[in-house]
Amino acid sequence: MKKIIILMGLLASNAFALSLGDTVNSNTIKMETTVNSTMKLSATKTDHTEYKINKANGTDTVLVNKNSKVYGFKWSDKTPDIKTMLGTNATYKSEFDTAYAKRPIGDHRRLMINTEHLSVSQFGLPGGPFSGSMTAKDLAPTN
């Protein structure tokens, strides 16, 4: 019975992932730092903070505004999880889904979405990782 509980605890700790609008604090960093990934502060800018997450299949940079809210991501990853990054915010998800459905068919390694609240770009060569970024315009710092 103890083995099952420990295994369930490990699976639950690896299931955590950040999304647009999530709050980043010391607990978040602990949750994202697992056997399979490491989250560390990488840069402090005047208008935002950046955290790097190193994973087995790539890296993510999490962009956090002065209110400790995730406003964007940058990635170099074989399998980026855009749906998780979008989170449950109905506006971001709806705008993404609508724009994604209108993208050119057959262009599987490139994605460009620019809506009222969301900007997503992704590129990749066959067999290689995807490089991309996502920004929630309403959460991003203003210049």
Side-chain angles (χ1 to χ4, degrees), residues 61 73-77 80 120-123 130-134:
T61 300
F73 298 93
K74 294 179 186 175
W75 61 87
S76 177
D77 197 328
V120 180
S121 64
Q122 178 174 272
F123 300 92
F130 288 99
S131 294
S133 65
M134 174 184 296

Side-chain angles (χ1 to χ4, degrees), residues 29-44:
I29 295 168
K30 288 177 189 174
M31 293 287 291
E32 280 291 332
T33 301
T34 67
V35 173
N36 298 321
S37 69
T38 305
M39 181 175 182
K40 292 184 180 179
L41 176 67
S42 63
T44 302

Side-chain angles (χ1 to χ4, degrees), residues 107-129:
D107 196 359
H108 302 290
R109 303 292 294 177
R110 179 178 58 176
L111 177 64
M112 298 293 296
I113 292 176
N114 190 18
T115 65
E116 181 180 354
H117 298 100
L118 187 66
S119 175
V120 180
S121 64
Q122 178 174 272
F123 300 92
L125 296 173

Side-chain angles (χ1 to χ4, degrees), residues 4 8 27 38 45 61 63 87 94 96 101-102 104 109 128:
I4 293 172
M8 287 175 59
N27 289 334
T38 305
K45 310 282 181 157
T61 300
L63 306 171
S94 173
F96 179 86
K102 294 178 182 177
R109 303 292 294 177

Side-chain angles (χ1 to χ4, degrees), residues 6 20 30 59 65 69 71 76-77 91 93 113 118 120 124:
I6 291 170
L20 293 173
K30 288 177 189 174
T59 60
N65 64 24
K69 300 286 184 191
Y71 75 86
S76 177
D77 197 328
T91 301
K93 184 166 177 13
I113 292 176
L118 187 66
V120 180

